[in-house]
Amino acid sequence: MSFDVERVRKDFPILDRMVKGRRLVYLDSAATTQKPTPVLEAMARYYARSNANVHRSIHTLGEEATEAYVGAHETVARFIGARGLEEIVFTKNCTEAINTVAYAWGLTNLERGDEVVVTRMEHHANFVPWQQIARAKGATLRIAPLDAEGRVDLEAYGALLGRRTKIVAFTGMSNVLGTITPAREMIRMAHDAGAVALVDGAQSVPHTKTDVRALDADFLAFSGHKMLGPTGIGVLYGKMDLLERMPPFQFGGEMIRRVEDENSSWNDLPWKFEAGTPMIAEAIGLAAAVDYLNGLGMDNVREHEERLVAKAYAALAAVPGVTLYGPKPGPERGGVVAFNVEGAHAHDLASLFDDAGIAVRAGHHCAQPLMRELDVPSAARASFYVYNTEAEVEALASAVARAREVLA
Amino acid sequence: MTEFGGDAEAMYREHILDHYKHPRNFGVLEGADIDHREDNPLCGDDIRMMLKLDGDGRVADVRFHGRGCAISQASASMLTERAKGLTLEAIKGLQRDDLLQMLGITVSPVRLKCAILSLVVLRDGVELYEKSHAPG
């Protein structure tokens, strides 16, 4: 099936919205994506027809809700190639998924003198948890450097790995540079050093086909709202034997088997890691989003974005005074373009673009260690998804040129 | 080419852009009595305020240094013009609304912190100075 962006756009009611008298041009999907009608309808249908708590309700509504909630785990498991729903833990967001590993795995497996390896391009969500857990356990955080194009310097990364390395945590795709990391190779190198590997898939899972078994990833974390799903739900994939050996992260209802006065025992996977009433409607919305993406085909999604990013890169590079960050368009580049305009602060750019109805991100993008390395306080970022068009890329380039005239 | 034409274009009115592109009292003041710098790590705006006082405790000279967005830098530039000749008491009395009035624009909540950073730096600098020069 060929990819028809105009047909896709019809599924996103928000794209009809006017902003300041202009048709919305939404180029901030790396922050959060818009939601297609099937996702909105699945969530509304659940609340309108089946709303009940899950797992133990012995009535029709409760059974429907439980079936949909459990089914959402299975849908997500298939989407990333997991062995089964036991390996799929629903969390609040990607950040909570990473924190679950940092706490539940890190506190029990890290010891004084151990090392945790991250990269220079991590989002704070995959940097600060490791920094803090390492501090708490007397372990050391090592940061793999980047090369001049903004790719992980694999030689330097390899040199950081050793017998002290216990875990490697890195992004599947940088939310600033757009770099797609060689995850399979990096995981293999981590395993050769005897370490486990976590991939922050917040930016990669929504945009590229992901197969955790082909990657041999030990953990993978990602968010629902960056892949057409609702906010309030994230996913932690973990290899079953690792999850089995980890203690729970949070305690309470749903995650428990037997509670005595002094001791408790835990529920089976994945429920052991899902304390309290979970995000039921959000799980149903996420499953609908996965169905929608499967309908488009992840290869088509990637191809569409590759085309947009190549066009954006060329169009922006042609504007005088524009600096672009990250690798050139191609297999190592995702649908994100961060840039600066000489003489203009990124916040001023974003404010001006907003008047043209163009939504971009401006700031440090929750990646301060990277921004320090680039030696820029902030950058503007346009990011693309299934509903963006080449005309929107042209509108962005035109707005950049105009903003430079106003500001510089 | 895209014409913006809405609120934002109004926000970048001539006098704000003028202060941004040609900041007044920009540079480093040697031998300043008050020299204070703060930044906003969230957006990278960075302002350093330097004051020299005369015998009556009034601001004899003032400079600022820093980098950041047009709003933060223009507001710092305007604030230095305003501060000259004021007593420290008067500087402490400067309010957010005084600054917004100088800028002559309405600022969205997100951009407010850009607009008032220079004032925060100035007031904090004065307070630190007074603490370190408190009698006894």
Side-chain angles (χ1 to χ4, degrees):
Chain A
M1 189 196 83
S2 72
F3 186 89
D4 180 355
V5 66
E6 289 308 326
R7 227 173 66 194
V8 169
R9 289 177 67 83
K10 289 194 172 62
D11 290 328
F12 291 80
I14 204 168
L15 298 178
D16 288 333
R17 210 203 123 142
M18 304 298 278
V19 171
K20 316 240 165 121
R22 314 282 181 102
R23 175 67 55 87
L24 169 67
V25 175
Y26 188 76
L27 301 179
D28 197 16
S29 291
T32 197
T33 62
Q34 299 303 342
K35 322 303 176 196
T37 304
V39 169
L40 304 177
E41 283 177 349
M43 295 177 74
R45 199 163 50 237
Y46 161 70
Y47 277 128
R49 287 193 48 83
S50 306
N51 178 52
N53 211 334
V54 291
H55 290 320
R56 286 169 323 282
S57 308
I58 307 191
H59 52 70
T60 301
L61 267 52
E63 284 166 5
E64 286 176 10
T66 303
E67 194 185 325
Y69 183 68
V70 173
H73 287 72
E74 285 167 345
T75 301
V76 170
R78 277 194 299 275
F79 184 62
I80 60 169
R83 290 155 199 84
L85 69 91
E86 298 83 357
E87 296 185 321
I88 302 297
V89 176
F90 284 166
T91 60
K92 177 176 74 179
N93 49 32
C94 183
T95 298
E96 192 179 69
I98 294 170
N99 272 277
T100 299
V101 180
Y103 278 88
W105 185 91
L107 284 180
T108 44
N109 286 280
L110 289 177
E111 287 170 12
R112 178 165 295 279
D114 285 346
E115 293 182 355
V116 175
V117 173
V118 298
T119 80
R120 178 57 66 188
M121 66 172 113
E122 297 312 312
H123 187 283
H124 294 163
N126 197 34
F127 190 94
V128 184
W130 301 114
Q131 178 191 62
Q132 294 300 313
I133 291 293
R135 273 179 66 159
K137 300 297 290 186
T140 305
L141 184 72
R142 308 292 298 272
I143 304 169
L146 310 181
D147 66 16
E149 275 206 63
R151 298 171 300 199
V152 177
D153 180 337
L154 280 185
E155 206 170 308
Y157 164 72
L160 287 180
L161 301 173
R163 58 185 178 78
R164 291 169 186 274
T165 314
K166 288 293 182 300
I167 188 164
V168 170
F170 65 93
T171 183
M173 179 186 135
S174 163
N175 69 314
V176 178
L177 302 170
T179 313
I180 295 173
T181 54
R184 200 168 169 172
E185 174 72 359
M186 289 176 71
I187 291 168
R188 191 189 58 72
M189 291 167 76
H191 287 169
D192 285 350
V196 301
L198 175 144
V199 178
D200 172 0
Q203 299 294 342
S204 60
V205 172
H207 303 280
T208 55
K209 195 173 204 158
T210 303
D211 183 337
V212 287
R213 273 187 285 181
L215 285 173
D216 201 17
D218 299 295
F219 298 106
L220 171 73
F222 55 102
S223 266
H225 72 97
K226 292 191 199 295
M227 50 188 286
L228 309 180
T231 54
I233 186 164
V235 178
L236 171 63
Y237 158 83
K239 278 184 185 163
M240 213 178 301
D241 59 321
L242 284 168
L243 292 178
E244 289 281 8
R245 292 201 303 266
M246 280 158 58
F249 173 40
Q250 291 169 346
F251 304 97
E254 311 280 15
M255 52 77 62
I256 216 83
R257 182 182 309 287
R258 183 188 301 276
V259 179
E260 290 161 23
D261 284 0
E262 304 287 332
N263 278 302
S264 296
S265 57
W266 320 127
N267 201 343
D268 295 332
L269 290 176
W271 323 119
K272 179 173 97 174
F273 291 102
E274 295 187 1
T277 294
M279 50 303 272
I280 305 164
E282 289 76 9
I284 289 166
L286 174 59
V290 168
D291 289 342
Y292 187 88
L293 286 171
N294 282 332
L296 296 179
M298 288 308 290
D299 290 336
N300 292 328
V301 170
R302 169 69 184 142
E303 205 177 293
H304 177 66
E305 289 177 27
E306 252 186 289
R307 212 165 30 237
L308 291 178
V309 80
K311 187 175 173 81
Y313 197 94
L316 291 179
V319 180
V322 168
T323 304
L324 293 158
Y325 304 102
K328 296 211 159 40
E332 291 175 304
R333 177 75 186 222
V336 162
V337 181
F339 60 95
N340 267 309
V341 177
E342 194 181 7
H345 190 284
H347 282 177
D348 297 324
L349 294 175
S351 287
L352 282 170
F353 294 170
D354 186 49
D355 261 0
I358 301 173
V360 300
R361 201 75 164 171
H364 58 52
H365 310 293
C366 295
Q368 289 179 20
L370 170 64
M371 300 301 276
R372 259 198 312 281
E373 177 93 352
L374 297 174
D375 195 26
V376 291
S378 64
R381 179 190 69 191
S383 51
F384 309 110
Y385 210 14
V386 294
Y387 34 69
N388 291 120
T389 65
E390 298 198 12
E392 290 179 316
V393 172
E394 283 159 18
L396 171 71
S398 166
V400 170
R402 171 71 185 138
R404 184 166 181 269
E405 281 188 359
V406 173
L407 293 166
Chain B
M1 196 179 289
T2 306
E3 290 295 326
F4 299 113
D7 295 347
E9 192 116 344
M11 193 158 102
Y12 296 93
R13 286 152 67 144
E14 215 43 55
H15 79 294
I16 288 182
L17 286 174
D18 180 43
H19 276 271
Y20 172 55
K21 292 174 184 175
H22 313 285
R24 323 294 197 265
N25 304 308
F26 188 84
V28 173
L29 187 55
E30 298 297 336
D33 296 297
I34 295 173
D35 185 345
H36 186 60
R37 174 183 168 182
E38 288 181 41
D39 65 352
N40 180 348
L42 292 179
C43 60
D45 289 343
D46 181 345
I47 304 266
R48 177 179 168 197
M49 281 278 179
M50 292 146 280
L51 302 180
K52 216 178 245 179
L53 305 176
D54 66 15
D56 301 328
R58 286 175 187 274
V59 175
D61 203 359
V62 55
R63 294 262 197 293
F64 86 98
H65 202 272
R67 62 176 185 175
C69 68
I71 307 296
S72 75
Q73 301 299 302
S75 103
S77 170
M78 290 175 193
L79 190 58
T80 58
E81 290 192 318
R82 175 72 169 264
K84 225 173 253 188
L86 292 185
T87 63
L88 296 187
E89 216 43 49
I91 283 178
K92 284 193 295 178
L94 287 173
Q95 296 301 318
R96 190 174 89 178
D97 286 346
D98 297 318
L99 203 61
L100 294 180
Q101 209 171 15
M102 280 186 258
L103 287 164
I105 52 170
T106 53
V107 178
S108 70
V110 185
R111 302 301 301 276
L112 190 61
K113 60 184 192 305
C114 311
I116 64 171
L117 177 62
S118 57
L119 182 59
V120 171
V121 176
L122 188 62
R123 285 200 306 222
D124 287 355
V126 168
E127 272 174 31
L128 285 170
Y129 173 82
E130 289 188 331
K131 255 185 222 157
S132 65
H133 288 72

